[in-house]
Amino acid sequence: METRDLSKAAIAVIGAGTMGIGIAQLAAMHGHTTYLFDVDAAKSQSALAGLESLLAKRVEKGKMTQMLLDSTLANLSIVTNINELAAVQMVVEAIVERQDIKQQLFVQLADICADDTIFASNTSSISITAIAAAVPNPERVVGLHFFNPAPVMKLVEIVRGLRTAPGITEGLFNLMRAWKKVPVTAKSTPGFIVNRVARPYYAEGFRALQENATTPAQLDFIMREVGGFAMGPCELTDLIGQDVNFSVTQSVYQAFFYEPRYRPSLVQQELVDAGCFGRKSGQGFYDYSQTPKAPVYTLPTIDVNDATNDAALPALVVRGDWRYANGLVERLQAADGLTVTLEEAGVSSIDIGEVSIRLSQGESVEVDYDDAKVMLMDWQADWSQARAVVLAAGMACDADELKLVAQVFARLGVGVIWSADHPGLYVLRTIAMLINEGCEAVLHDIASEADIDAAMKYGVNYPKGPFEWAALLGYDTVLSILNNLQRLYGEERYRASLYLVKKAATCHTASA
């Protein structure tokens, strides 16, 4: 089948909710004759009125021209009888997330529309293959998953079912490019790309809470400040809705026949059972009836009035290859009052007196270094701008040594977040699991490395895609982290993807 040219297609949007009116706005703004249908005609009228008001305000603020507003509204009309959609070339449904209802709609439309009319579902989780199975000419059924709000969010997942015609996915890819979106293609699988690959971001954070290694406010601070994420897992799921996020996790877990990587969290289930859904209920991980409503965490600081802070610090010895933390070494060398010696040989470490600071490889500082003065360090997204570092100190380290290390980092303007022993700590462990999930998706031909990276950056605003992180860390480092986690926990949850194992064997070194 040739690539479908949809540049001038008449488009029908079914469902006048937030997503439906957003998709209709996009189509109309880009010159398509667009029809909006909802079984509740009053809902369509209300949605259109709301859109007119929204666009008028954008014109007032100079963010949109009056000409574009007028053309958008001229291209968009409401239909109250579904039979009026007979001549459209594409239908996009944005209705309730139930497979049977979506199938009923497309079966009904199959009797109304032409045999080659494209039926696109905006589903975020339902199998496109399953939806298409009940529809005449199933090769025309495809997933077209926008992210909310559709006019703003760049990412669109184009999902091919088992029988979806390649010419349709190619045509939609070109159309989304014309709409100035970032399209990615994926095979129909539970969660598609984003809702599948993102699961570890929540799961590993919640596990740290369940193991009493951190608090919600500290965890969110670490993921934002140290990891470079826009929001931490607790505040993000409070925004999404704990009930919604938990339901998606359950759905993916069940759809993958109870794969351990997707197992839901008891911490989150307790919130849901209590009706603590987050912002919309006033209580989730945080109490939104209080002021300030945002999660609060105070970064530990060194007491500037403590005379011992002015005392001379011991010379530092930096050993080995620091790969992704070279920026830290550079800051240590440039800091006032610090003497730094570089030694290429040996295990990568920063030796401060008798203490050895090492980049975590997924070990347990208590199990693997029980009698050594070792501290394990978490990933830091940008050492040139860092103002915090996460460290877990071994049991052999005393209070004076902890204070000494904090004083050294204070010379860099960096505060130390002292963590309980948590293998792989927080950011590094989460990133390793995100990389592993991306590798599994590529192994199973769900999507390409490039599309997975684009999906995670534009769909959930990650600072990097999984394979960009892997290039920085080195696949061998990621493999070591996962192997150590599996060794310590004894769980299949942390088994390394075969794709990752092969990548570690062929391109093991980190990028420069």
Side-chain angles (χ1 to χ4, degrees):
M1 182 180 181
E2 294 183 358
T3 301
R4 288 286 293 272
D5 181 4
L6 300 171
S7 58
K8 298 180 180 178
I11 297 174
V13 179
I14 312 294
T18 302
M19 187 61 76
I21 191 63
I23 297 170
Q25 174 190 336
L26 277 169
M29 285 181 67
H30 287 89
H32 296 268
T33 299
T34 307
Y35 303 98
L36 180 66
F37 174 81
D38 195 287
V39 290
D40 182 351
K43 188 174 181 180
S44 295
Q45 293 290 349
S46 176
L48 182 58
L51 178 61
E52 290 183 30
S53 176
L54 174 66
L55 297 184
K57 289 178 181 177
R58 290 183 61 81
V59 171
E60 290 175 10
K61 295 178 180 179
K63 296 181 178 180
M64 182 179 184
T65 66
Q66 184 66 45
M67 183 180 296
L68 181 55
L69 184 152
D70 292 341
S71 65
T72 299
L73 297 180
N75 290 332
L76 178 56
S77 58
I78 292 172
V79 298
T80 57
N81 186 335
I82 197 169
N83 292 300
E84 296 178 52
L85 303 179
V88 301
Q89 283 79 55
M90 182 167 77
V91 177
V92 182
E93 69 80 10
I95 60 175
V96 65
E97 278 286 272
R98 280 183 50 184
Q99 179 180 318
D100 58 337
I101 295 179
K102 293 178 187 294
Q103 286 176 323
Q104 290 169 17
L105 171 65
F106 285 156
V107 168
Q108 182 183 9
L109 286 167
D111 288 335
I112 297 170
C113 301
D115 290 345
D116 63 350
T117 300
I118 296 171
F119 293 160
S121 174
N122 185 57
T123 180
S124 61
S125 59
I126 300 174
S127 167
I128 298 302
T129 298
I131 292 173
V135 180
N137 303 316
E139 67 277 0
R140 59 173 162 180
V141 180
V142 64
L144 193 64
H145 180 212
F146 292 84
F147 288 73
N148 194 28
V152 176
M153 295 297 286
K154 288 288 189 182
L155 184 71
V156 179
E157 291 179 320
I158 301 169
V159 185
R160 62 188 188 278
L162 184 63
R163 300 180 66 179
T164 302
I168 288 176
T169 58
E170 292 163 5
L172 285 173
F173 189 92
N174 294 336
L175 181 66
M176 292 302 102
R177 279 279 181 86
W179 288 11
K180 298 179 174 59
K181 294 296 183 181
V182 177
V184 296
T185 58
K187 185 165 70 175
S188 183
T189 191
F192 308 144
I193 300 176
V194 172
N195 281 327
R196 171 184 176 163
V197 176
R199 295 334 312 153
Y201 188 68
Y202 314 111
E204 293 308 311
F206 296 161
R207 184 150 201 178
L209 296 176
Q210 188 167 326
E211 293 176 1
N212 201 32
T214 186
T215 64
Q218 185 186 68
L219 174 64
D220 284 345
F221 181 88
I222 290 170
M223 299 308 291
R224 290 194 313 271
E225 183 64 36
V226 181
F229 290 88
M231 300 180 77
C234 300
E235 57 186 328
L236 179 55
T237 50
D238 269 0
L239 178 64
I240 295 169
Q242 297 298 338
D243 53 336
V244 173
N245 185 263
F246 185 66
S247 177
V248 172
T249 300
Q250 283 185 306
S251 175
V252 172
Y253 181 52
Q254 292 164 4
F256 275 102
F257 305 114
Y258 305 99
E259 163 61 50
R261 296 196 312 278
Y262 310 121
R263 183 176 294 123
S265 165
L266 291 173
V267 169
Q268 190 174 38
Q269 182 180 33
E270 187 173 32
L271 289 175
V272 173
D273 288 347
C276 298
F277 301 148
R279 289 179 181 269
K280 63 185 177 183
S281 69
Q283 176 71 55
F285 282 107
Y286 303 103
D287 182 353
Y288 295 94
S289 67
Q290 303 297 313
T291 302
K293 294 186 170 78
V296 176
Y297 175 78
T298 303
L299 182 64
T301 58
I302 294 292
D303 182 2
V304 296
N305 297 316
D306 186 345
T308 62
N309 292 333
D310 296 326
L313 295 171
L316 278 60
V317 180
V318 178
R319 306 179 193 278
D321 177 8
W322 275 74
R323 291 189 184 178
Y324 57 81
N326 278 333
L328 169 58
V329 178
E330 292 170 1
R331 284 183 70 172
L332 288 170
Q333 290 176 302
D336 292 335
L338 294 182
T339 301
V340 179
T341 301
L342 302 182
E343 295 186 6
E344 293 184 2
V347 175
S348 296
S349 66
I350 298 173
D351 294 347
I352 305 174
E354 296 184 7
V355 173
S356 176
I357 298 176
R358 303 180 185 183
L359 293 168
S360 173
Q361 296 271 314
E363 320 100 305
S364 161
V365 74
E366 294 180 2
V367 173
D368 295 311
Y369 305 101
D370 58 334
D371 60 351
K373 292 182 179 292
V374 170
M375 296 181 184
L376 294 179
M377 180 188 297
D378 204 348
W379 160 278
Q380 165 58 248
D382 183 2
W383 268 112
S384 67
Q385 304 294 325
R387 65 188 187 98
V389 61
V390 180
L391 294 174
M395 292 181 288
C397 299
D398 61 34
D400 288 339
E401 287 165 332
L402 269 64
K403 184 176 180 180
L404 177 63
V405 169
Q407 288 172 338
V408 169
F409 280 101
R411 297 290 175 96
L412 312 183
V414 174
V416 176
I417 300 173
W418 293 108
S419 170
D421 179 32
H422 189 59
L425 303 184
Y426 308 98
V427 180
L428 185 65
R429 174 168 166 163
T430 298
I431 288 174
M433 290 294 281
L434 290 169
I435 293 169
N436 198 47
E437 197 59 46
C439 286
E440 277 290 277
V442 175
L443 181 68
H444 298 152
D445 193 31
I446 304 307
S448 68
E449 290 186 11
D451 276 0
I452 291 170
D453 278 351
M456 303 317 292
K457 288 190 292 184
Y458 291 101
V460 281
N461 201 27
Y462 284 1
K464 295 186 183 299
F467 295 97
E468 291 174 330
W469 274 315
L472 287 173
L473 282 163
Y475 284 93
D476 57 339
T477 298
V478 180
L479 182 58
S480 292
I481 293 164
L482 294 171
N483 285 344
N484 277 323
L485 289 172
Q486 187 176 27
R487 170 179 61 85
L488 289 164
Y489 282 96
E491 295 182 24
E492 282 293 290
R493 174 193 186 103
Y494 298 106
R495 74 184 185 279
S497 168
L498 178 61
Y499 188 84
L500 173 60
V501 173
K502 290 180 177 180
K503 294 282 278 193
T506 56
C507 52
H508 58 281
T509 57
S511 60

